[in-house]
Amino acid sequence: MVSEDPLSEYEPKSWWDDQKTSWSHRALSKFLKINGPIPAHVAVVMDGNRRFARENRLESIVRGHERGFVQLQKVLCWCSDLGIRELTVYAFSIENFKRSSEEVEGLMRLAEEQFKKLLQEKEKLEEKQVCFRFWGRLELLRPQLRKLIVEVERLTAGYTKSCLNICMPYTAKDEAVRAAEVMRLAAQEGLVDDQQVSLSLLRECMDSRRSKDPDLIIRTSGEYRWSDFMLIQGSYTHVYFVDVLWPEFEHRHLCQAIFDYQRHYKSIKALPRSEAPGEELSEELKTFISNYHRQRYENLVTI
Amino acid sequence: MLQKAAGAGIELLPREPPIQPEEMFDWIWAIVQAVSHIVWMGCDFLGWSTVWVRNAIKKKELQRLNHQFRTPTHLAVTFTEEQHIRLKDVTRFLELTMSAGVRRVSLYDPWGKCLRMRAQLEKALMNEEVEFFAEEEFPDLKALSFAVQLLGPAAGRQTVVNSIKELLSSEEPLTAQQLDNILLTRGIIEPEMLIKVGALPTMAGYPPLSLRVTEIVSLRSLPTSRSTFHSALLDYSRRDIRLGK
């Protein structure tokens, strides 16, 4: 008789969980689809991996992050079943570089392993049609990881079924400053003046330029703060705080969050907003912004 | 004859022992437990679970830790429902914050109701040493013992856009510090604690970049009694602030 390793379930195996969904999952999904609109874009602050590792006496904190990664794969699968087209996850904050070098190193190694694995499963990736995007100050990552990120983005750029945005290393303030910098450079080129600066231009310059604002933000681990995540995009978003560690986040928690969203979405949508609409962006400006981002990606491989 | 036989038959069967009171109690207890489990499961799914338990625990803890409050220097409020913005409640709330030692309060609502209430609030608190100011007015806070900032819809994301406008002429690459400084001149400072008032789970457009690490406490209505306000402070006091670590 082969004894099962109790930790084996924590080890990430494949990106795609092809296990059959249980009847209870299917029933809940069906109920939610009938009950109201399903959020098109869900963002998650995946907090609680370290506490999970400590509470479960795992051999290292990195094992907790591995378990968190397994959870991400499950959630990706649940979102697909529920019809959520876009998922954004806060994987690593710029502030997290303050953590021990052992933990940071372990996390980077885990990310590298997983992206390599993803690239090895090209056929599955093509079948799933999931587009991967990376938000944040990617320049702070080590060259090997940056190269993999660029490769994954390029490979999945044309996939349209669903989208996974991975924020690493990211903070909302940093994203806003980088977007403002693009606008400053455009102003230096004479492409932007004061009158043209608007929220829509700011959006166009941000990492999230190809996405709509999230409909629902879920924060795990019972912390009641934003931790510098999607502050501008989530200004009018439904926020759902759940008192469970990320590796213990279950299908029913996701369903509860969606159910809560369905209860409130009309009232939240009705809140008054006073942002100036802004002028239509000129073709020149659009080209400048897209060239800037393309150049930035090319630099990621060369620097 | 038949009756007799039937009667005899009945007599032959062993009699069902009457239900003992202890058994009855067990049955009732099992039924009560089953019903309560169903109710709890329903409530848990709706997010209403343990409300009364939480309140009871809070009350107990409040009595025990009455002297261990961590009071924020800057406390913000965002209203997600218009009906909670009442002059009487806001005045009482400001009195409570003042007595707790808070030095600055920011009141925000997306309808601009707090801004329009300014004259009435000034009148209601004329005997207190309070300075009211709106967005882009920026008094010397160090000189004031208590200041109240009133924020309306224009203070939301549009403030970020307006701040960036001021930075476009910069010759040097932009930094987070530059953006912070511009936001500061517009009176946008990060509060340590934010009370979200109302049933809607959203920030309703509160100045976004100032909520990076703010602790959020959600309440159905603005705390207007000492006990509800202290309960909110207790909730905040128990929070573990980690800042990325």
Side-chain angles (χ1 to χ4, degrees):
Chain A
M1 201 172 145
V2 182
S3 64
E4 262 188 50
D5 174 10
L7 290 175
S8 63
E9 67 162 314
Y10 301 143
E11 283 165 10
K13 291 175 186 108
S14 160
W15 270 87
W16 315 109
D17 184 3
D18 276 340
Q19 279 179 2
K20 260 195 160 182
T21 42
S22 68
W23 68 268
S24 59
H25 286 198
R26 284 200 302 275
L28 261 175
S29 301
K30 209 160 200 174
F31 164 73
L32 288 171
K33 282 175 189 170
I34 296 166
N35 190 51
I38 297 291
H41 183 182
V42 174
V44 187
V45 181
M46 307 187 293
D47 193 19
N49 294 339
R50 297 184 335 147
R51 258 172 286 169
F52 179 84
R54 271 186 230 116
E55 282 172 19
N56 289 278
R57 297 184 182 170
L58 302 187
E59 63 199 64
S60 76
I61 295 290
V62 180
R63 296 289 271 176
H65 291 301
E66 282 177 5
R67 184 66 181 82
F69 184 77
V70 172
Q71 200 58 32
L72 169 63
Q73 292 163 344
K74 283 184 189 169
V75 172
L76 197 60
C77 185
W78 297 337
C79 284
S80 162
D81 290 343
L82 282 158
I84 296 164
R85 287 182 57 86
E86 190 165 3
L87 178 70
T88 302
V89 291
Y90 197 5
F92 192 81
S93 160
I94 293 175
E95 296 289 319
N96 291 158
F97 279 116
K98 291 176 189 168
R99 291 180 178 175
S100 72
S101 57
E102 187 195 346
E103 189 184 344
V104 174
E105 178 64 26
L107 260 165
M108 295 300 139
R109 205 174 45 240
L110 177 66
E112 275 176 25
E113 280 167 16
Q114 293 314 313
F115 296 140
K116 271 182 199 162
K117 208 173 278 179
L118 183 73
L119 289 167
Q120 282 162 9
E121 296 174 328
K122 276 183 186 165
E123 277 174 26
K124 201 80 187 158
L125 192 57
E126 201 173 340
E127 181 197 318
K128 297 280 176 186
Q129 289 279 309
V130 181
C131 171
F132 281 70
R133 291 173 189 154
F134 294 85
W135 299 356
R137 195 177 277 266
L138 303 172
E139 295 82 352
L140 298 176
L141 299 172
R142 54 192 194 189
Q144 179 61 19
L145 184 52
R146 283 202 307 255
K147 209 176 152 197
L148 285 165
I149 282 175
V150 172
E151 213 174 319
V152 170
E153 269 224 25
R154 278 184 187 155
L155 179 71
T156 62
Y159 297 162
T160 51
K161 199 174 171 190
S162 57
C163 189
L164 175 65
N165 306 311
I166 302 176
C167 301
M168 68 176 294
Y170 173 93
T171 63
K173 173 71 79 60
D174 179 70
E175 187 190 20
V177 172
R178 282 186 290 110
E181 176 63 9
V182 181
M183 285 154 83
R184 186 189 72 86
L185 292 172
Q188 277 188 347
E189 295 288 317
L191 297 169
V192 173
D193 61 34
D194 276 5
Q195 296 303 312
Q196 287 166 311
V197 177
S198 63
L199 185 64
S200 51
L201 175 59
L202 177 65
R203 281 178 196 282
E204 220 30 63
C205 299
M206 287 164 80
D207 293 336
S208 58
R209 63 195 171 279
R210 289 166 290 186
S211 304
K212 287 192 173 169
D213 284 348
D215 301 298
L216 172 67
I217 293 181
I218 300 171
R219 163 95 207 214
T220 60
S221 86
E223 302 291 347
Y224 294 82
R225 56 176 170 259
W226 283 77
S227 298
D228 217 342
F229 179 57
M230 294 187 88
L231 292 170
I232 293 174
Q233 301 92 327
S235 203
Y236 289 92
T237 295
H238 184 121
V239 197
Y240 187 81
F241 295 104
V242 56
D243 195 1
V244 61
L245 303 176
W246 171 247
E248 290 166 342
F249 185 81
E250 289 175 16
H251 183 264
R252 69 184 171 96
H253 297 120
L254 179 63
C255 291
Q256 280 170 351
I258 295 170
F259 186 70
D260 202 47
Y261 164 79
Q262 291 175 337
R263 278 168 64 206
H264 296 295
Y265 86 99
K266 273 186 189 164
S267 314
I268 292 177
K269 216 174 173 188
L271 285 172
R273 299 170 194 213
S274 65
E275 289 119 8
E279 291 175 16
E280 178 83 17
L281 306 189
S282 68
E283 282 307 314
E284 267 183 307
L285 182 54
K286 279 183 190 168
T287 314
F288 177 84
I289 294 168
S290 91
N291 284 345
Y292 175 87
H293 289 296
R294 196 181 311 125
Q295 189 60 49
R296 186 177 160 234
Y297 261 84
E298 276 165 22
N299 289 347
L300 281 178
V301 190
T302 52
I303 53 169
Chain B
M1 185 85 173
L2 270 171
Q3 274 176 351
K4 221 176 174 181
I10 287 163
E11 273 175 23
L12 284 172
L13 286 169
R15 271 212 179 152
E16 280 283 324
I19 296 171
Q20 298 297 311
E22 299 89 53
E23 268 183 41
M24 200 137 77
F25 179 75
D26 284 349
W27 273 103
I28 293 168
W29 182 239
I31 292 164
V32 167
Q33 279 211 318
V35 171
S36 74
H37 271 95
I38 292 164
V39 171
W40 274 63
M41 271 166 68
C43 289
D44 193 35
F45 188 77
L46 294 168
W48 300 339
S49 68
T50 61
V51 170
W52 65 271
V53 179
R54 271 190 234 148
N55 285 345
I57 294 169
K58 252 185 194 172
K59 214 172 171 183
K60 250 190 173 176
E61 237 176 309
L62 202 64
Q63 286 163 353
R64 198 167 56 84
L65 297 165
N66 217 4
H67 56 286
Q68 290 180 8
F69 286 129
R70 184 159 52 102
T71 311
T73 314
H74 181 191
L75 169 63
V77 176
T78 181
F79 291 94
T80 64
E81 287 174 314
E82 205 176 356
Q83 71 265 26
H84 295 296
I85 315 167
R86 289 184 291 260
L87 177 68
K88 204 176 118 192
D89 293 350
V90 175
T91 311
R92 178 71 190 128
F93 172 73
L94 291 176
E95 284 167 352
L96 286 168
T97 53
M98 226 184 307
S99 63
V102 176
R103 291 207 55 213
R104 178 176 169 162
V105 176
S106 296
L107 298 173
Y108 166 85
D109 74 278
W111 302 272
K113 215 170 164 182
C114 289
L115 270 173
R116 293 195 296 275
M117 230 186 236
R118 181 175 180 166
Q120 292 160 289
L121 282 170
E122 278 173 339
K123 199 175 162 192
L125 292 165
M126 61 192 292
N127 295 329
E128 310 284 348
E129 208 181 303
V130 188
E131 179 80 27
F132 286 89
F133 65 105
E135 195 209 341
E136 299 194 22
E137 291 174 30
F138 194 54
D140 180 12
L141 288 174
K142 280 177 192 159
L144 299 168
S145 58
F146 188 66
V148 180
Q149 185 181 31
L150 303 170
L151 298 165
R157 291 192 280 209
Q158 194 60 41
T159 311
V160 181
V161 174
N162 295 342
S163 304
I164 291 171
K165 268 184 201 176
E166 290 185 37
L167 294 169
L168 288 190
S169 55
S170 169
E171 290 296 319
E172 298 291 314
L174 299 181
T175 61
Q177 190 58 50
Q178 278 174 294
L179 186 59
D180 281 343
N181 291 344
I182 297 283
L183 286 169
L184 191 70
T185 59
R186 292 171 177 274
I188 305 296
I189 304 174
E190 292 186 25
E192 289 119 280
M193 173 185 174
L194 175 110
I195 299 179
K196 182 194 75 62
V197 177
L200 297 189
T202 172
M203 297 303 112
Y206 187 91
L209 288 184
S210 63
L211 291 181
R212 288 182 327 114
V213 287
T214 302
E215 290 293 336
I216 300 159
V217 175
S218 294
L219 297 175
R220 285 275 163 166
S221 59
L222 196 64
T224 52
S225 69
R226 200 166 289 274
S227 67
T228 50
F229 182 63
H230 280 186
S231 169
L233 279 187
L234 180 68
D235 199 350
Y236 166 72
S237 307
R238 281 192 307 225
R239 303 281 174 88
D240 165 34
I241 298 164
R242 291 182 294 149
L243 295 169
K245 286 231 167 187

